[in-house]
Amino acid sequence: VNDIDADYDYRYTENGGPYGERVLELKLKQSTQITIYKYDAKTNAPLSGAEFAVYNGGNEYMLAGNPIKGTTDANGNLTLAVREGTFTLKETKAPEGYAGLANDISFKVTTSGETLTVTSDSEYFKDSTFKVPNTPKTAEVKFLKTDGSSAPLAGAAFELYDVDPRLSENANTTPIFTKDSAETTGLIWEGTLQLGKPYYLKETSAPEGYMPMAEVITLRMVEGANGEVTVSADPQTDIVSWALKDSVY
């Protein structure tokens, strides 16, 4: 009976059978779809990898025995099936490098005849779609040139890219910075970069008497479970170092 209540409308008809027996008539309840579009709050680019789930009465919403949840695709889109009722949409996991949605989204599905209508007072509900932004997490970082023994080294030239400059389609990409390492400190550049995003550091010329880095270094700032940010480098190097400030935005 509970499964019937959840998925079917039903009624009994007395003497409805060919021999006057009582008949149970079942009609599958109508469902509709909600559409979610996830995008970068700064660039408006679509975001994949955001996970959402629908809740009803504080519990995970089930339809035909399955929880209603999913993950946005490469175009930032996700559709979820719902029936008549009052619901909460939760972002259960944000894409890597992004802050999650601070507040849940409430919505209703109402029936008028054979038509199901989705309504919501949320600011994110526009043109019948939940258009939900995520704000990138960033941290401030300093790049320093050293001589392999942690001593600052001036006179090296570097470029930093947010796409891989080794790929032919990125040949004409403008770097985030083009800088020489400073006298005394060896400082190359300091600024704000996004967590989880790959960056590419290229040494274009070395100080006199030194060989430049043979490879482009792929850098990524990674946030740990405790919120601590570290920098990963591939390949590892001891002739460039970085310092992170404590704040993550």
Side-chain angles (χ1 to χ4, degrees):
V1 174
N2 289 337
D3 290 339
I4 292 176
D5 287 341
D7 294 324
Y8 291 88
D9 291 320
Y10 62 97
R11 68 176 181 178
Y12 288 101
T13 301
E14 297 293 340
N15 303 317
Y19 302 104
E21 68 271 27
R22 192 183 191 196
V23 174
L24 173 64
E25 297 181 61
L26 299 177
K27 181 181 179 182
L28 187 65
K29 290 182 179 179
Q30 287 181 290
S31 64
T32 188
Q33 290 185 325
I34 60 169
T35 302
I36 301 160
Y37 175 67
K38 172 62 70 172
Y39 65 96
D40 186 302
K42 290 190 175 181
T43 67
N44 293 322
L47 292 177
S48 63
E51 298 180 9
F52 286 89
V54 176
Y55 285 75
N56 176 245
N59 299 312
E60 196 169 49
Y61 178 57
M62 308 288 286
L63 195 61
N66 298 310
I68 302 303
K69 57 185 178 180
T71 305
T72 56
D73 62 19
N75 296 314
N77 294 319
L78 171 64
T79 56
L80 298 172
V82 290
R83 294 190 175 129
E84 184 178 16
T86 299
F87 303 98
T88 300
L89 179 65
K90 296 177 180 284
E91 183 177 26
T92 55
K93 183 180 179 182
E96 183 182 3
Y98 288 84
L101 188 64
N103 299 308
D104 298 334
I105 300 172
S106 298
F107 69 96
K108 291 182 179 180
V109 180
T110 55
T111 302
S112 178
E114 296 295 315
T115 302
L116 292 178
T117 302
V118 179
T119 58
S120 176
D121 293 330
S122 171
E123 61 180 307
Y124 303 122
F125 190 62
K126 303 171 183 177
D127 303 320
S128 300
T129 299
F130 293 99
K131 300 179 179 180
V132 185
N134 275 129
T135 301
K137 288 184 176 182
T138 60
E140 293 186 23
V141 62
K142 290 182 179 181
F143 291 97
L144 306 168
K145 174 68 172 179
T146 60
D147 64 1
S149 61
S150 300
L153 188 61
F158 286 88
E159 294 175 343
L160 184 73
Y161 295 85
D162 58 3
V163 294
D164 193 339
R166 294 166 293 189
L167 301 179
S168 58
E169 61 265 32
N170 299 329
N172 298 317
T173 301
T174 301
I176 296 172
F177 68 73
T178 300
K179 294 286 186 180
D180 293 346
S181 55
E183 296 287 345
T184 309
T185 64
L187 177 67
I188 304 167
W189 178 83
E190 60 181 320
T192 301
L193 298 178
Q194 183 177 335
L195 272 62
K197 179 180 175 65
Y199 293 92
Y200 304 89
L201 185 66
K202 178 181 180 181
E203 185 173 20
T204 56
S205 66
E208 185 177 354
Y210 290 86
M211 293 290 292
M213 291 190 306
E215 299 181 78
V216 173
I217 299 176
T218 302
L219 301 171
R220 191 188 299 265
M221 292 192 294
V222 180
E223 184 179 16
N226 61 356
E228 181 183 356
V229 177
T230 57
V231 178
S232 67
D234 183 22
Q236 294 289 332
T237 178
D238 59 1
I239 60 174
V240 178
S241 61
W242 32 82
L244 285 163
K245 292 189 175 181
D246 291 338
S247 55
V248 176
Y249 302 95

